[in-house]
Amino acid sequence: QVQLVESGGGLVQAGGSLRLSCAASGSIFSINAMGWHRQAPGKQRELVAHMSSGGSINYADSAKGRFTISRDNAKNTVYLQMNSLKPEDTAVYYCNADIIPAGFPYEYSYWGQGTQVTVSS
């Protein structure tokens, strides 16, 4: 069974920084793209940052210049370094990964349970 476990959320003042981590575990054959989404109260879930297995990266406009996504393939882990945080960054942040489980021929999309990020003004 494959699962994603996030950590690193919390409460921070505006202008501060947080680093989110997401580790994939279980019977994994390979991991393709990994990324981060967020969902603020009353809003739809939106993409924050996305990184392919080859290293191509996409950021939401709101994240460009402030957030950095990275991954450690040896640890099956993706990170999101968030700097210069703003109150509007307050949301539940979800990790997402496209994974081929061991023994399966297809890729499946997995989601973490979410971690709360709250930025106070």
Side-chain angles (χ1 to χ4, degrees):
Q1 183 177 358
V2 175
Q3 60 178 344
L4 302 179
V5 178
E6 299 127 336
S7 60
L11 173 64
V12 64
Q13 288 188 332
S17 298
L18 283 174
R19 188 190 193 211
L20 306 183
S21 300
C22 171
S25 63
S27 298
I28 295 171
F29 175 72
S30 68
I31 301 177
N32 294 324
M34 301 185 84
W36 292 92
H37 292 68
R38 69 186 182 187
Q39 187 166 18
K43 295 187 177 182
Q44 289 187 333
R45 190 174 297 189
E46 62 177 4
L47 174 70
V48 176
H50 174 275
M51 188 172 188
S52 73
S53 57
S56 297
I57 294 174
N58 290 310
Y59 291 105
D61 288 344
S62 59
K64 289 178 181 177
R66 300 187 300 126
F67 294 2
T68 302
I69 187 172
S70 62
R71 59 193 283 179
D72 185 334
N73 292 329
K75 295 181 179 180
N76 290 340
T77 299
V78 63
Y79 305 95
L80 186 68
Q81 177 67 44
M82 303 185 294
N83 299 327
S84 302
L85 283 161
K86 305 174 182 179
E88 50 264 43
D89 293 318
T90 295
V92 178
Y93 284 69
Y94 296 92
C95 171
N96 169 248
D98 297 328
I99 297 173
I100 301 177
F104 284 74
Y106 305 112
E107 172 185 283
Y108 296 87
S109 182
Y110 292 87
W111 290 86
Q113 80 285 358
T115 185
Q116 176 70 45
V117 171
T118 303
V119 184
S120 63
S121 57

